[in-house]
mmCIF file of all heavy atoms in Angstrom:
data_model
loop_
_atom_site.group_PDB
_atom_site.id
_atom_site.type_symbol
_atom_site.label_atom_id
_atom_site.label_comp_id
_atom_site.label_asym_id
_atom_site.label_seq_id
_atom_site.Cartn_x
_atom_site.Cartn_y
_atom_site.Cartn_z
ATOM 1 N N LYS A 85 15.921 -2.809 13.001
ATOM 2 C CA LYS A 85 15.336 -1.767 13.840
ATOM 3 C C LYS A 85 16.422 -1.028 14.591
ATOM 4 O O LYS A 85 17.405 -1.627 15.039
ATOM 5 C CB LYS A 85 14.357 -2.350 14.840
ATOM 6 C CG LYS A 85 15.022 -3.223 15.857
ATOM 7 C CD LYS A 85 14.165 -3.466 17.060
ATOM 8 C CE LYS A 85 14.413 -2.496 18.181
ATOM 9 N NZ LYS A 85 13.626 -2.817 19.364
ATOM 10 N N MET A 86 16.236 0.248 14.705
ATOM 11 C CA MET A 86 17.130 1.060 15.515
ATOM 12 C C MET A 86 16.476 1.259 16.883
ATOM 13 O O MET A 86 15.247 1.318 16.996
ATOM 14 C CB MET A 86 17.352 2.420 14.851
ATOM 15 C CG MET A 86 17.983 2.328 13.477
ATOM 16 S SD MET A 86 19.609 1.581 13.524
ATOM 17 C CE MET A 86 20.542 2.944 14.276
ATOM 18 N N GLY A 87 17.302 1.360 17.920
ATOM 19 C CA GLY A 87 16.759 1.586 19.258
ATOM 20 C C GLY A 87 17.543 2.663 19.980
ATOM 21 O O GLY A 87 18.689 2.953 19.631
ATOM 22 N N LYS A 93 13.293 7.455 25.148
ATOM 23 C CA LYS A 93 13.544 6.014 25.327
ATOM 24 C C LYS A 93 14.784 5.780 26.189
ATOM 25 O O LYS A 93 14.791 4.915 27.060
ATOM 26 C CB LYS A 93 13.747 5.356 23.963
ATOM 27 C CG LYS A 93 12.482 5.015 23.250
ATOM 28 C CD LYS A 93 11.694 3.908 23.927
ATOM 29 C CE LYS A 93 12.472 2.604 23.975
ATOM 30 N NZ LYS A 93 11.682 1.524 24.577
ATOM 31 N N GLU A 130 5.223 1.051 21.302
ATOM 32 C CA GLU A 130 5.808 2.382 21.143
ATOM 33 C C GLU A 130 5.640 2.859 19.697
ATOM 34 O O GLU A 130 5.607 2.053 18.768
ATOM 35 C CB GLU A 130 7.282 2.384 21.571
ATOM 36 C CG GLU A 130 8.140 1.351 20.864
ATOM 37 C CD GLU A 130 9.529 1.217 21.490
ATOM 38 O OE1 GLU A 130 9.716 1.570 22.665
ATOM 39 O OE2 GLU A 130 10.438 0.754 20.766
ATOM 40 N N GLU A 132 6.599 4.596 16.179
ATOM 41 C CA GLU A 132 7.832 4.710 15.389
ATOM 42 C C GLU A 132 7.528 5.189 13.973
ATOM 43 O O GLU A 132 6.371 5.335 13.567
ATOM 44 C CB GLU A 132 8.522 3.337 15.314
ATOM 45 C CG GLU A 132 8.823 2.742 16.681
ATOM 46 C CD GLU A 132 10.181 2.083 16.786
ATOM 47 O OE1 GLU A 132 10.949 2.127 15.805
ATOM 48 O OE2 GLU A 132 10.471 1.533 17.871
ATOM 49 N N GLU A 162 5.828 -0.406 17.257
ATOM 50 C CA GLU A 162 6.679 -1.541 17.590
ATOM 51 C C GLU A 162 6.212 -2.151 18.905
ATOM 52 O O GLU A 162 5.864 -1.426 19.842
ATOM 53 C CB GLU A 162 8.162 -1.155 17.710
ATOM 54 C CG GLU A 162 8.944 -2.450 17.953
ATOM 55 C CD GLU A 162 10.448 -2.368 18.099
ATOM 56 O OE1 GLU A 162 10.958 -1.336 18.541
ATOM 57 O OE2 GLU A 162 11.093 -3.380 17.800
ATOM 58 N N ILE A 164 7.725 -4.249 21.891
ATOM 59 C CA ILE A 164 8.975 -4.741 22.478
ATOM 60 C C ILE A 164 8.606 -5.608 23.672
ATOM 61 O O ILE A 164 7.619 -5.340 24.366
ATOM 62 C CB ILE A 164 9.901 -3.572 22.897
ATOM 63 C CG1 ILE A 164 9.149 -2.518 23.718
ATOM 64 C CG2 ILE A 164 10.534 -2.933 21.670
ATOM 65 C CD1 ILE A 164 10.037 -1.436 24.292
ATOM 66 N N GLY A 253 13.135 3.795 15.467
ATOM 67 C CA GLY A 253 13.207 3.919 16.931
ATOM 68 C C GLY A 253 12.046 4.761 17.428
ATOM 69 O O GLY A 253 11.498 5.584 16.693
ATOM 70 N N ALA A 254 11.694 4.568 18.697
ATOM 71 C CA ALA A 254 10.501 5.224 19.235
ATOM 72 C C ALA A 254 10.749 6.703 19.501
ATOM 73 O O ALA A 254 11.821 7.094 19.940
ATOM 74 C CB ALA A 254 10.064 4.534 20.517
HETATM 75 MG MG1 LIG B 16 11.516 0.517 19.195
#
Side-chain angles (χ1 to χ4, degrees):
K85 66 163 267 184
M86 299 298 287
K93 278 292 298 183
E130 55 190 22
E132 304 222 3
E162 184 179 28
I164 49 173

